[in-house]
């Protein structure tokens, strides 16, 4: 764990990026990560748990915290969790997940869907 | 993805101010810095990454720098959509480097498109290229630029058609090369190809054909591993091609086939592990026998040798049997193994190899071992007893044991003559092991056999 960055973060009072709550999730991660590293199945379960208990917004904070603390393994893990969560999901589902709203003109979206038609086949139902 | 802290002041990141009026107290995932969003996209399968262009305007081109692209078009029914998709994606993708590019497709009459796509990947400094093409309805050529691509480290090419080679070939950084179903037809250029692989470590040639090529020398100075699976249908001329492999760094040699071509490994002092899984039909025994012998002579330094019973049988062909005493001594051979075929312990070639392997420590038979149940005759088979039996052989494993007479004879002779044996492991075939009564009888029978080695343990697995 990069102790100097952590110390710096705690000292930096202007930093609203990482709340104390998040720090308690992110910082113990290296130990958990090391323990689970060898066992993919457990990592998958941990990921499932994380997705169930943690709302996308919280995930945002986790990612930003990991990024700020320069904790590459955690950043990678959380990003993969997001990727796995939206894999093969419908456009609406992914929009909700990211908190986005479509701002395309009517017809623009259809045009794009047509151009990339092949990638829309076999997507999970909502 | 550069792991250094991307931002010290996340609040001042690229945030859409209007959207923030709503989101101010809720940090939505879309507010993540663009680099992180791009990283997440790079972790998705290509299909999913590209679909995000429909989410909203800001995301329309976010995917265009993803480093890995994989296009696996499997169903012919959806082919039109697939081809349009690939064309569009490559058109829109930015000029940043592509790390891994995968393209599986039916070519039909789109040879020029497919070639252009591969060209596009090469232009973007691709490192790992996996191409599987089929269904050619017109002549197809790979782009010339592929053959001088400096960034390529891994190439897999599955292409059941003639490989048209350009005049200049140099794979400066290629470490892994895999050709499948490819037909080599120009002797001069094919030789150029196999001489222009300065850092190649792994080479796989699966079901490739050599047409109108008499000799080819594969001379890659750093080659560690070679795996050749020959086509089972002979589409070559009678003699096939003579494939000479320079093994200056070679550690592992793996072959499956029927010797429609001849293979020879020279300078093979670093070769440690060799597997020859050969099969053959009666009318070809002479050719197979000679080729088997030639190949085996290049393996005198191996530590581990795996053979099929057919490999041994081939060597018993008349003319070649006479050459067997001239086989080199396998002075480093410690392990000799056989695949699931049935091995006769009185096979002349096997006995000769055993005689010439003074350091053999372990033998493993994945199939059945047999010996006729004539005890008197059997005593003469291991006479003289191979030196390794007297001083080195400490472990023999037999799988698929079913306890019949011939198998028992084989085990008997081994137990009797391997005088420094630590353990003999006998595993009954799965089916046989279900009958517990019978299993017990068989075990008792084996335990009664005289053991040449006082401390030998009989293990039943």
């Amino acid at each position: 764990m990069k102790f100097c960055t952590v110390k710096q973060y705690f000292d930096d009072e202007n930093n609203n990026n990482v709340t104390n709550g998040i720090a308690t999730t992110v910082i113990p991660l290296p130990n958990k990560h090391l323990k689970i590293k060898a066992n993919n199945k457990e990592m998958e379960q941990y990921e499932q748990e994380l997705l169930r208990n943690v709302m996308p917004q919280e995930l945002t904070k986790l990612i930003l915290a990991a990024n700020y603390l320069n904790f590459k393994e955690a950043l990678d893990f959380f990003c993969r969790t997001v990727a796995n969560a939206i894999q093969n999901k419908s456009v609406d589902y992914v929009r909700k997940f990211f908190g986005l709203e479509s701002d395309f003109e009517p017809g623009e979206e259809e045009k794009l869907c047509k151009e990339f038609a092949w990638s829309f086949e076999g997507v999970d139902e909502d | 993805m550069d792991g250094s802290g991307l931002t010290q002041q996340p609040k001042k990141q690229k945030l859409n101010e209007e959207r923030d009026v709503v989101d101010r107290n809720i940090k939505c995932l879309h507010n993540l810095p663009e680099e992180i969003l791009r990283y997440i996209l790079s972790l998705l399968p290509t299909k999913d990454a590209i679909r995000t262009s429909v989410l909203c305007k800001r995301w329309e081109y976010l995917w265009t720098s993803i480093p890995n692209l994989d296009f696996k078009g499997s169903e012919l029914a959806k082919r039109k959509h697939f081809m349009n998709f690939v064309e569009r994606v490559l058109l829109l993708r930015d000029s940043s480097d592509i790390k891994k590019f995968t393209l599986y497709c039916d070519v039909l009459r789109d040879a020029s498109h497919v070639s252009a796509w591969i060209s596009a990947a090469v232009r973007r400094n691709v490192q790992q290229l996996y191409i599987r093409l089929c269904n050619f309805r017109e002549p197809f050529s790979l782009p010339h630029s592929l053959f001088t691509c400096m960034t390529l480290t891994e190439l897999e090419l599955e292409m059941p058609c003639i490989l048209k080679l350009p005049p200049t070939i140099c794979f400066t950084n290629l470490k892994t090369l895999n050709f499948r179903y490819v037909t080599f037809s120009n002797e001069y250029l094919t030789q150029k190809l196999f001489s222009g692989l300065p850092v190649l470590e792994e080479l796989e040639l699966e079901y490739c054909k050599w047409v109108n090529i008499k000799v080819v020398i594969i001379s890659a100075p750093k080659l560690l591993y070679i795996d050749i699976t020959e086509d089972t249908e002979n589409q070559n001329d009678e003699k096939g091609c003579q494939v000479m492999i320079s093994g200056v760094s070679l550690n592992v040699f793996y072959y499956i086939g029927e010797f429609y071509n001849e293979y020879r490994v020279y300078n093979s002092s670093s070769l440690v592990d060799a597997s020859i899984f050969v099969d053959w039909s009666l009318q070809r025994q002479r050719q197979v026998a000679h080729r088997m012998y030639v190949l085996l002579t290049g393996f005198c330094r191996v530590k581990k040798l795996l053979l099929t019973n057919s490999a041994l049988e081939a060597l018993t062909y008349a003319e070649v049997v006479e050459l067997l005493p001239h086989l080199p001594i396998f002075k480093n051979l410690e392990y000799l193994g056989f695949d699931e075929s049935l091995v006769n312990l009185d096979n002349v070639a096997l006995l000769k190899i055993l005689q010439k392997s003074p350091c053999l420590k372990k033998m493993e038979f994945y199939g059945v071992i047999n010996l006729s149940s004539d005890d008197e005759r059997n005593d003469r088979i291991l006479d003289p007893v191979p030196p390794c039996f007297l001083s080195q052989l400490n472990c023999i494993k037999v799988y698929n044991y079913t306890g019949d007479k011939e198998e028992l004879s084989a085990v008997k002779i081994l137990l009797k003559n391997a005088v420094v044996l630590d353990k003999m492991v006998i595993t009954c075939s799965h089916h046989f092991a279900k009958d517990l009564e019978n299993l017990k009888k068989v075990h008792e029978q084996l335990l009664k056999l005289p053991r040449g080695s006082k401390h030998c343990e009989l293990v039943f697995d």
Side-chain angles (χ1 to χ4, degrees):
Chain A
M1 195 57 203
K2 284 97 184 164
F3 290 112
C4 38
T5 332
V6 175
K7 185 177 184 300
Q8 190 189 345
Y9 139 69
F10 275 118
D11 288 343
D12 186 354
E13 283 160 341
N14 288 324
N15 194 324
N16 294 315
N17 189 16
V18 183
T19 62
N20 279 332
I22 302 308
T24 56
T25 320
V26 175
I27 288 169
L29 246 178
N31 294 323
K32 199 167 179 86
H33 184 88
L34 285 168
K35 269 190 228 152
I36 310 177
K37 213 173 180 182
N39 191 337
N40 277 326
K41 216 117 215 218
E42 273 188 57
M43 209 57 173
E44 261 174 54
Q45 284 175 352
Y46 180 66
E47 195 180 289
Q48 291 297 327
E49 234 183 83
L50 197 73
L51 276 177
R52 261 197 301 256
N53 302 332
V54 164
M55 296 297 288
Q57 295 93 318
E58 294 293 294
L59 208 43
T60 312
K61 295 186 196 170
L62 284 172
I63 291 176
L64 288 170
N67 185 39
Y68 180 73
L69 293 169
N70 208 4
F71 188 2
K72 193 170 187 292
E73 286 90 348
L75 180 62
D76 196 73
F77 174 71
F78 292 131
C79 285
R80 278 178 202 281
T81 306
V82 172
N84 288 340
I86 59 171
Q87 198 167 316
N88 215 37
K89 292 288 191 291
S90 73
V91 173
D92 281 331
Y93 185 101
V94 179
R95 274 200 191 117
K96 264 201 216 96
F97 194 88
F98 278 94
L100 289 168
E101 274 172 31
S102 172
D103 53 355
F104 282 118
E105 305 296 321
E108 263 186 335
E109 196 183 313
E110 274 95 52
K111 189 159 161 270
L112 272 174
C113 288
K114 241 179 137 192
E115 275 166 8
F116 296 128
W118 183 75
S119 66
F120 284 90
E121 286 156 16
V123 171
D124 286 349
E125 301 268 314
D126 275 343
Chain B
M1 180 72 187
D2 126 63
S4 62
L6 286 172
T7 171
Q8 299 298 312
Q9 294 170 312
K11 266 198 169 163
K12 306 228 171 99
Q13 257 317 100
K14 317 167 199 192
L15 292 175
N16 186 319
E17 290 299 330
E18 291 117 331
R19 209 170 284 152
D20 248 31
V21 172
V22 178
D23 292 344
R24 191 164 303 157
N25 295 323
I26 309 168
K27 277 238 155 124
C28 283
L29 276 171
H30 71 255
N31 288 333
L32 287 171
E34 208 164 274
E35 283 93 337
I36 296 187
L37 290 176
R38 283 181 205 272
Y39 181 62
I40 293 173
L41 288 184
S42 77
L43 298 172
L44 287 167
T46 301
K47 264 183 163 186
D48 295 79
I50 308 251
R51 273 208 308 278
T52 64
S53 61
V54 161
L55 293 177
C56 68
K57 282 196 177 148
R58 185 187 163 219
W59 282 67
E60 197 179 341
Y61 299 106
L62 204 58
W63 63 267
T64 55
S65 62
I66 50 174
N68 299 335
L69 289 173
D70 81 272
F71 302 113
K72 293 179 183 165
S74 44
E75 295 172 46
L76 263 179
K78 307 204 176 121
R79 188 176 173 274
K80 189 157 183 289
H81 279 178
F82 171 74
M83 302 299 266
N84 286 341
F85 178 78
V86 178
E87 183 78 29
R88 185 117 190 108
V89 168
L90 287 176
L91 201 71
L92 293 172
R93 193 182 177 288
D94 68 19
S95 55
S96 65
D97 285 354
I98 292 178
K99 180 149 188 271
K100 188 161 108 164
F101 186 86
T102 306
L103 177 65
Y104 297 175
C105 82
D106 293 70
V107 175
L108 299 183
R109 289 189 202 283
D110 290 315
S112 56
H113 285 279
V114 173
S115 187
W117 295 341
I118 297 169
S119 212
V122 170
R123 264 202 312 279
R124 288 174 181 75
N125 299 323
V126 66
Q127 292 174 37
Q128 296 161 315
L129 191 57
Y130 306 105
I131 300 173
R132 291 188 196 175
L133 306 175
C134 63
N135 234 328
F136 300 92
R137 300 269 169 87
E138 60 176 2
F140 174 81
S141 330
L142 292 162
H144 286 195
S145 55
L146 171 61
F147 295 91
T148 49
C149 179
M150 302 267 289
T151 50
L152 204 58
T153 59
E154 258 183 68
L155 174 61
E156 176 192 296
L157 197 57
E158 179 179 305
M159 219 175 64
C161 70
I162 293 177
L163 179 64
K164 292 194 204 126
L165 294 166
T168 318
I169 303 170
C170 187
F171 288 112
T172 327
N173 282 303
L174 193 64
K175 283 213 164 129
T176 303
L177 178 56
N178 186 341
F179 283 125
R180 206 178 294 132
Y181 301 118
V182 166
T183 299
F184 300 102
S185 66
N186 179 314
E187 181 157 340
Y188 173 68
L189 291 177
T190 303
Q191 184 54 70
K192 249 188 149 182
L193 167 67
F194 286 108
S195 313
L197 303 163
V199 298
L200 192 73
E201 291 177 4
E202 278 186 34
L203 176 63
E204 271 184 49
L205 297 169
E206 289 178 84
Y207 309 109
C208 293
K209 299 191 187 46
W210 313 87
V211 171
N212 295 329
I213 300 180
K214 292 222 166 62
V215 182
V216 70
I217 304 174
I218 298 176
S219 129
K222 299 263 189 284
L223 191 65
L224 297 171
Y225 172 93
I226 188 167
D227 179 342
I228 302 173
T229 303
E230 241 187 16
D231 210 331
T232 47
E233 268 178 47
N234 180 20
Q235 308 232 340
N236 311 331
D237 56 72
E238 277 289 308
K239 291 211 193 117
C241 172
Q242 191 183 39
V243 180
M244 315 262 285
I245 300 156
S246 165
V248 285
S249 304
L250 198 63
N251 285 342
V252 180
F253 177 92
Y254 189 91
Y255 173 82
I256 301 182
E258 298 185 33
F259 285 136
Y260 283 113
N261 302 294
E262 183 186 309
Y263 301 89
R264 213 188 272 247
V265 181
Y266 61 99
N267 285 337
S268 59
S269 51
S270 54
L271 192 62
V272 169
D273 197 328
S275 302
I276 311 175
F277 293 124
V278 70
D279 209 351
W280 46 274
S281 55
L282 210 54
Q283 64 263 44
R284 293 194 59 242
Q285 189 179 7
R286 181 169 182 269
Q287 193 176 56
V288 173
H290 279 280
R291 291 177 174 184
M292 179 68 209
Y293 179 81
V294 158
L295 190 55
L296 204 55
T297 52
F299 293 166
C300 49
R301 309 270 190 112
V302 299
K303 267 179 113 167
K304 178 173 167 178
L305 185 60
L306 256 159
L307 300 172
T308 50
N309 179 56
S310 301
L312 290 175
E313 291 289 328
L315 291 169
T316 60
Y317 181 78
E319 300 163 10
V320 176
V321 155
E322 282 155 42
L323 295 173
L324 289 181
H326 301 285
L327 272 177
I329 303 280
F330 295 97
K331 53 183 168 180
N332 298 327
L333 191 63
E334 288 181 13
Y335 172 97
L336 181 61
F338 293 91
D339 75 334
E340 297 93 17
S341 48
L342 184 150
V343 176
N344 280 307
L345 280 192
D346 56 3
N347 179 300
V348 172
L350 173 60
L351 295 169
K352 225 5 166 235
I353 292 173
L354 287 175
Q355 292 286 351
K356 292 193 179 255
S357 308
C359 301
L360 192 66
K361 295 197 164 69
K362 183 170 172 186
M363 288 216 298
E364 205 161 9
F365 298 91
Y366 282 94
V368 171
I369 49 170
N370 260 8
L371 194 57
S372 76
S373 34
D374 180 348
D375 278 346
E376 246 190 66
R377 178 177 165 270
N378 289 348
D379 279 336
R380 279 180 270 128
I381 281 169
L382 281 186
D383 181 19
V385 176
C388 57
F389 274 58
L390 299 174
S391 62
Q392 295 287 338
L393 190 59
N394 60 44
C395 178
I396 301 178
K397 286 192 181 177
V398 176
Y399 299 86
N400 272 309
Y401 188 80
T402 57
D404 68 21
K405 265 198 306 176
E406 277 88 32
E407 293 177 65
L408 189 64
S409 289
V411 175
K412 184 173 177 187
I413 198 177
L414 288 173
L415 273 176
K416 185 174 172 199
N417 288 287
V419 296
V420 294
L421 206 59
D422 285 332
K423 66 175 177 187
M424 177 125 183
V425 181
I426 300 185
T427 308
C428 288
S429 73
H430 191 69
H431 186 75
F432 189 81
K434 289 193 184 142
D435 182 346
L436 292 171
E437 267 295 310
N438 226 344
L439 195 66
K440 204 170 159 226
K441 255 203 277 183
V442 160
H443 287 175
E444 279 169 7
Q445 209 178 25
L446 287 166
L447 286 167
K448 287 205 195 103
L449 292 172
R451 297 177 211 178
S453 161
K454 301 283 179 281
H455 57 274
C456 174
E457 195 192 333
L458 207 56
V459 178
F460 299 114
D461 240 336

